[in-house]
Amino acid sequence: MDRGEDVVRQLYGRWRGPLHGYVLRLVGGDHRQAEDIVQETLLRAWEHVDELTPEAAGPWLRTVAKNLVVSGFRRRSGRDSERPVEPADLPPVADEVEHVLQSWQVAEALRGLSPDHRAVVVELYYRRRTVDEAAAVLGIPAGTVKSRCFYALRALRDALEERGVTE
């Protein structure tokens, strides 16, 4: 694997979740649009891989994503009823900053989970799969998905409480 591919994988692993949460707020909760923006942002990061490091890429990624939202970017999927987000439609900066900080704390707490527990949480809550879909993707029984989810959410809640995140 070359350096560029390694950096892109690290960027994706570290920033996809927090970036998705940030963009999701900007687009009013439209998961499909948020995912489109995140993918385009990460594609643009790949084009600038020599200029970025995974540790310091957050501000650059957020700026690119915000610019894509404001300019009305949409993946070419035939949806023509979309309109660009106007600056007045954006959430207040204080709320946005708080949300981004909480997203980072959640991402950090997720990294503290076991790989099995983290995989279940990602499939159910970030990829929005059903229990049966997550079970199929992970190759485990649905009951195991439910059990791991229960223990993962409990561990996640405890980790977030330790960090002072109570919402």
Side-chain angles (χ1 to χ4, degrees):
M1 175 181 331
D2 69 352
R3 180 195 178 278
E5 187 176 333
D6 184 48
V7 170
V8 170
R9 286 182 189 275
Q10 289 179 37
L11 285 170
Y12 187 85
R14 180 170 186 163
W15 295 107
R16 186 202 166 278
L19 193 58
H20 186 268
Y22 171 72
V23 173
L24 191 61
R25 251 186 107 108
L26 294 178
V27 298
D30 182 339
H31 285 277
R32 184 173 178 182
Q33 183 182 359
E35 188 60 35
D36 289 347
I37 298 291
V38 169
Q39 292 301 319
E40 180 64 20
T41 301
L42 291 168
L43 175 65
R44 291 183 185 195
W46 178 73
E47 294 169 347
H48 295 272
V49 72
D50 293 332
E51 305 162 29
L52 298 171
T53 62
E55 300 78 27
W60 188 92
L61 292 168
R62 285 189 304 279
T63 299
V64 170
K66 182 177 178 185
N67 289 341
L68 288 169
V69 170
V70 171
S71 70
F73 168 83
R74 302 290 184 270
R75 182 170 38 165
R76 295 180 198 122
S77 63
R79 296 182 292 170
D80 31 304
S81 63
E82 300 164 342
R83 64 175 180 81
V85 175
E86 299 298 325
D89 295 335
L90 297 174
V93 173
D95 290 346
E96 187 177 308
V97 169
E98 183 64 27
H99 178 73
V100 169
L101 291 174
Q102 285 183 354
S103 295
W104 285 341
Q105 290 173 322
V106 170
E108 188 62 31
L110 274 170
R111 280 192 276 282
L113 295 178
S114 73
D116 289 339
H117 287 153
R118 184 173 47 248
V120 166
V121 170
V122 166
E123 292 301 321
L124 293 175
Y125 293 95
Y126 286 91
R127 295 195 175 124
R128 304 185 66 78
R129 298 188 198 278
T130 65
V131 170
D132 290 333
E133 290 169 341
V137 167
L138 297 171
I140 57 177
T144 303
V145 170
K146 291 177 185 179
S147 174
R148 286 182 185 172
C149 181
F150 172 82
Y151 290 109
L153 291 177
R154 186 165 55 176
L156 195 55
R157 183 190 66 231
D158 293 345
L160 290 171
E161 284 176 356
E162 287 176 16
R163 289 172 171 80
V165 178
T166 57
E167 292 181 6

